[in-house]
Amino acid sequence: MTQPAHLYVPVKDAPVPWPDDDVPVLRNRPVRLGTDTSLLSHFGDDVWNVRPAHRDAHTDVGHLNLLVFPGALRRQFRTVLLAALDHPQPVEPGGRQRPAEYIGIGSLPMLVRGLRLFAHWMHAQDRGQITDVTGHDLDTYLRHVIGTSTPPRLKANAVSALRTLWLFRDVLPAPCRLATGFPWAGKAANELVGHRAAGGENKRPRIHEDTMEALLAWSLHMVEQIGPDIRDAWQEYAALCRGEHPSQAIYTGTTGPRLQKYADFCRRTGTPLPGTSGPDGPGINYGHVLRLIGMDDKGQFSPAQKRWLAGQGLPVATHSTVGVITGRIQGSPWRDSPLTVAELPGLWRRLIGALFTVVCYLSGMRPGEVLSLRRDCRGADETTGQLVIHGHRGKGYDRAPDTPEFAEPTRPWVVVEVVHQATALLESLHAQPYLFPAQLRTGVFRPSTTHARTCHSINRDIADFAAWVNQTFRRADGSAPIPDDPSGNLNSSRFRRTLAHFIVRRPRGLIAAALQYGHVDTKVTLNYAGAPDTEWLQDVAVEKLELVLEQISDDAQRLAAGEHVSGPSADEYRRRITEVVDFPGRTVISPRSAARLLAGTDPQVHHGEGMTCVWRSETAACRAARLTQGLPEPAGPDESECRSTCTNLAFTDRDIAHRKQDLRGWEAAASDPLAPQPLRDRASAQAERITSLVHRHEQNRTEGASK
């Protein structure tokens, strides 16, 4: 039950007036720089465009349609929504809400949805004013909401919307005030409607390693080889459209003389007329001819001019092409013919999808943070020299659009070289303020001057890019270059968790373009260590916990099956694995709990190439080596500084099998008559060292069995 009904007496004696129809609805909200203020909505409009007040340029916030409210109640609920835009939301009685917090622009469509349900219920109950609703009515309305077929989360939203209406009563005209006590005090909205909200666990699946490796590799091909050709063709096409291409300098005057000169040029140089495909073969692309002679935006050919050109007997090309092919894949041109005008828009979007993949995946940024990047975001740290990308955080209740008086400070993300290359290519593709503009061409709907691509659009671009690669190229065995992901469609929201998985697993060797995941790990983790945004580190903790649990299980099974372990830390290895494998485990309900569980579960056993480190910082040779060089103390083993004399080392049968493979290579190098003597001596010494290690391992196995 609600609190007993009573009329609410406003704190202020002066009545609150009704707003005038010409009041701008965003008068108290900052709007994005570059917004055309003459197009902003007013109180009397039936549809309000509130998108300019949203901080994120990539977010496609829907308009607020006021026509969804019953006509008799529309002015009252229009006034409620204006109050929600004008004023911070008051704190609930006994609530924990931050003071002076405005309702987010992205939340307003949900507020409209919740208030609409209440307005239609009022209309059905013949309540002409909001102030006529009593506490008993609210209980009846709650039963109505619970009985609807809408999803539970929307039922909870309807309850929250009604409470929001009550909270703004001090700034509303008297007929708009909900004159009851705070609705259903002491109970949460989810509790009232029986909705159990989902937990904070990240349920997004990782992108399969075969798919992600191939997607990244081909994205890097776009950065280095294919993308510059698409960029140059697009720039040539744009210059032709503007009449600024150098080839157009020979044309002057009206359309007729220009056309005559162009036909003479084609006859003299043997250049075919630009064509377009048709059922009877290629036909003349008159639109592109206009473009070539600098008349693209100045008119069109008359029927007589078209007949004249067709009668010149000039050859007609199959397509209308621009640019040249310079990029190479595996030593061969990536394409046999220049790009066609018809292909350019699709190739532009696919290139955008590939460049987004490089920037988003290799930086650890959220998709929205990448889409909101602006021109000239590249930089370098003055102290360390590390490459950075400057952008804005993608979360936070206090974010608002920049204004001439105040701009939210940017934050740096440390990145690798190829991310800078991708952003430089993006800046050369267009002249818009955002690296990922909303549209290829300028337009009224979501203009690129103030809007970036949406997450939905960029996900479609990524999928189109992968499909285009698979249609255009083939592996040597005839298979698709980018295999399908068994977990579903490619989605940019899955990049961060996938990167965390790859970093933790640390595959040996180099990934595409010689970018080591360990290198990316160092830089991405540096972005988030000590920062308020810790979600990335929580994702890494989840992946590390999964790896540790898998490794413990595998090591314990091998020990039980008789795997032999030698080396100075062999006994400690067996002790740690035996102790940890008996751990009964706990339920992991969030990434934070994964980090805590990892801290108490990890046996600090690290499998490397041909060796196993049973980590103890005080006896680690790699730690001593780093400290001697004045480097920071490592949190774990540094294989690049590993010493064969380190007492942390242990050797399993798996390690010895790996060393035996190395031994064959060193023995072959030591006996190579064409190799210089110093190299043969070094190979011989390495072979002798490995032979001694293998002998000690086998001898230790025999001695242990005889005891």
Side-chain angles (χ1 to χ4, degrees):
M1 294 289 291
T2 63
Q3 295 177 352
H6 62 278
L7 291 178
Y8 173 75
V9 179
V11 175
K12 298 179 181 179
D13 295 332
V16 178
W18 291 95
D20 295 330
D21 283 351
D22 59 352
V23 168
V25 299
L26 296 179
R27 58 183 177 179
N28 285 347
R29 297 276 186 139
V31 296
R32 285 202 291 271
L33 295 174
T35 298
D36 186 351
T37 56
S38 65
L39 301 178
L40 294 178
S41 301
H42 295 81
F43 179 79
D45 297 337
D46 289 329
V47 178
W48 293 356
N49 176 19
V50 296
R51 186 184 299 127
H54 198 286
R55 178 69 182 84
D56 299 324
H58 70 281
T59 302
D60 189 12
V61 181
H63 291 5
L64 304 186
N65 182 7
L66 285 307
L67 295 176
V68 300
F69 294 100
L73 296 169
R74 190 171 301 153
R75 190 185 185 202
Q76 295 180 49
F77 282 93
R78 192 193 303 262
T79 304
V80 173
L81 291 172
L82 181 64
L85 283 165
D86 273 350
H87 304 282
Q89 179 170 329
V91 179
E92 293 183 4
R96 300 178 181 178
Q97 175 194 355
R98 301 180 185 93
E101 179 180 349
Y102 283 85
I103 295 177
I105 294 296
S107 300
L108 287 173
M110 288 300 292
L111 177 61
V112 170
R113 185 167 187 165
L115 292 177
R116 178 185 64 183
L117 183 62
F118 181 58
H120 281 277
W121 178 87
M122 281 182 57
H123 184 66
Q125 300 296 316
D126 198 25
R127 300 293 188 272
Q129 293 183 341
I130 296 175
T131 192
D132 295 337
V133 175
T134 67
H136 177 72
D137 288 336
L138 293 185
D139 291 333
T140 304
Y141 174 66
L142 178 60
R143 290 192 293 271
H144 168 74
V145 170
I146 295 174
T148 61
S149 59
T150 57
R153 64 179 182 84
L154 295 182
K155 295 179 182 179
N157 174 69
V159 172
S160 298
L162 189 62
R163 286 174 164 175
T164 299
L165 169 62
W166 185 91
L167 291 173
F168 281 105
R169 63 201 188 286
D170 284 348
V171 293
L172 294 172
C176 303
R177 296 170 182 155
L178 193 58
T180 69
F182 182 67
W184 313 293
K187 289 189 176 182
N190 287 332
E191 182 183 359
L192 287 167
V193 300
H195 175 47
R196 184 174 181 179
E201 180 184 357
N202 184 358
K203 296 183 178 180
R204 293 189 182 95
R206 295 183 293 265
I207 299 174
H208 192 273
E209 59 184 73
D210 293 341
T211 304
M212 191 66 242
E213 285 280 10
L215 177 64
L216 178 60
W218 279 97
S219 297
L220 293 170
H221 281 317
M222 294 293 280
V223 173
E224 298 167 349
Q225 299 295 333
I226 302 175
D229 286 349
I230 297 175
R231 183 266 320 275
D232 294 344
W234 178 258
Q235 289 180 343
E236 178 181 330
Y237 173 77
L240 289 171
C241 292
R242 296 192 304 267
E244 299 175 357
H245 194 272
S247 65
Q248 297 167 318
I250 63 174
Y251 304 110
T252 57
T254 59
T255 303
R258 289 174 182 244
L259 182 59
Q260 176 71 51
K261 180 165 287 190
Y262 175 69
D264 293 341
F265 168 80
C266 292
R267 186 176 294 108
R268 184 176 67 255
T269 60
T271 302
L273 297 175
T276 181
S277 60
D280 301 323
I284 299 174
N285 187 343
Y286 293 103
H288 194 56
V289 174
L290 277 172
R291 200 171 293 123
L292 291 172
I293 64 176
M295 300 294 288
D296 184 45
D297 59 346
K298 298 180 178 65
Q300 57 184 2
F301 290 129
S302 68
Q305 289 172 327
K306 291 181 179 180
R307 289 195 299 270
W308 179 86
L309 183 60
Q312 295 302 302
L314 296 170
V316 179
T318 306
H319 300 286
S320 304
T321 61
V322 288
V324 295
I325 301 302
T326 62
R328 307 178 76 83
I329 302 294
Q330 295 182 347
S332 301
W334 69 272
R335 181 184 170 107
D336 295 330
S337 59
L339 304 179
T340 68
V341 171
E343 291 177 297
L344 278 181
L347 288 174
W348 191 91
R349 287 194 306 100
R350 291 159 190 151
L351 176 57
I352 289 290
L355 298 179
F356 176 88
T357 298
V358 171
V359 177
C360 187
Y361 182 66
L362 293 180
S363 68
M365 299 172 72
R366 292 185 179 87
E369 291 168 339
V370 176
L371 292 173
S372 296
L373 289 173
R374 302 179 71 95
R375 302 183 72 85
D376 302 321
C377 62
R378 287 172 291 150
D381 188 276
E382 295 181 358
T383 303
T384 65
Q386 291 177 313
L387 302 180
V388 297
I389 293 290
H390 294 280
H392 290 92
R393 57 199 169 107
K395 280 191 174 183
Y397 76 94
D398 56 342
R399 299 182 309 128
D402 293 341
T403 64
E405 295 77 22
F406 174 79
E408 180 185 349
T410 61
R411 61 148 294 184
W413 278 267
V414 183
V415 296
V416 289
E417 174 73 26
V418 72
V419 175
H420 266 210
Q421 295 174 9
T423 54
L425 184 55
L426 283 162
E427 290 176 346
S428 67
L429 278 172
H430 56 80
Q432 300 299 338
Y434 292 98
L435 290 186
F436 299 93
Q439 303 178 62
L440 178 58
R441 295 181 178 273
T442 57
V444 176
F445 181 72
R446 301 195 77 248
S448 294
T449 53
T450 54
H451 294 80
R453 291 190 78 72
T454 63
C455 289
H456 174 75
S457 297
I458 205 67
N459 288 335
R460 187 177 64 241
D461 295 344
I462 295 170
D464 287 349
F465 164 65
W468 174 77
V469 170
N470 287 339
Q471 293 168 0
T472 309
F473 304 94
R474 283 285 153 184
R475 294 178 183 267
D477 61 1
S479 61
I482 304 178
D484 292 337
D485 181 24
S487 297
N489 297 329
L490 296 174
N491 191 302
S492 58
S493 64
R494 299 168 62 193
F495 280 173
R496 291 217 318 175
R497 189 175 182 204
T498 303
L499 179 61
H501 171 78
F502 273 78
I503 284 176
V504 169
R505 304 291 165 147
R506 294 264 179 102
R508 296 299 168 188
L510 302 179
I511 64 171
L515 290 172
Q516 293 173 289
Y517 275 109
H519 183 48
V520 179
D521 177 21
T522 302
K523 292 183 175 295
V524 174
T525 302
L526 179 61
N527 291 328
Y528 293 95
D533 177 11
T534 59
E535 288 187 12
W536 161 255
L537 299 180
Q538 293 170 13
D539 283 345
V540 172
V542 171
E543 297 299 335
K544 284 184 176 179
L545 178 60
E546 289 186 6
L547 174 63
V548 166
L549 295 178
E550 291 173 10
Q551 180 179 295
I552 291 172
S553 177
D554 182 57
D555 289 344
Q557 290 177 15
R558 290 177 182 273
L559 280 178
E563 182 178 49
H564 179 57
V565 185
S566 63
S569 285
D571 291 340
E572 181 66 12
Y573 171 88
R574 284 186 284 264
R575 184 188 68 79
R576 292 189 186 185
I577 297 301
T578 302
E579 287 182 354
V580 177
V581 76
D582 292 332
F583 176 68
R586 295 192 185 95
T587 300
V588 178
I589 61 174
S590 71
R592 291 183 179 180
S593 63
R596 292 193 295 269
L597 183 57
L598 177 63
T601 305
D602 189 357
Q604 289 293 319
V605 172
H606 303 271
H607 292 285
E609 293 186 352
M611 49 77 72
T612 298
C613 177
V614 185
W615 173 256
R616 293 186 299 269
S617 60
E618 60 273 11
T619 58
C622 61
R623 171 179 174 271
R626 288 179 60 87
L627 294 178
T628 301
Q629 300 172 50
L631 298 175
E633 181 173 349
D638 183 351
E639 194 167 344
S640 64
E641 296 287 351
C642 186
R643 303 291 190 268
S644 59
T645 57
C646 182
T647 58
N648 285 1
L649 291 178
F651 301 96
T652 65
D653 286 341
R654 287 164 284 168
D655 298 327
I656 296 303
H658 188 282
R659 291 302 180 101
K660 287 179 178 178
Q661 291 180 353
D662 292 342
L663 177 60
R664 289 191 287 271
W666 288 119
E667 287 176 341
S671 59
D672 182 3
L674 299 180
Q677 186 62 45
L679 293 183
R680 281 185 286 165
D681 291 343
R682 179 176 180 272
S684 178
Q686 291 286 355
E688 183 178 349
R689 185 176 67 83
I690 295 176
T691 300
S692 176
L693 175 64
V694 172
H695 175 72
R696 288 196 301 270
H697 182 81
E698 299 298 342
Q699 183 181 35
N700 183 274
R701 181 202 306 274
T702 303
E703 292 175 352
S706 64
K707 291 181 181 179

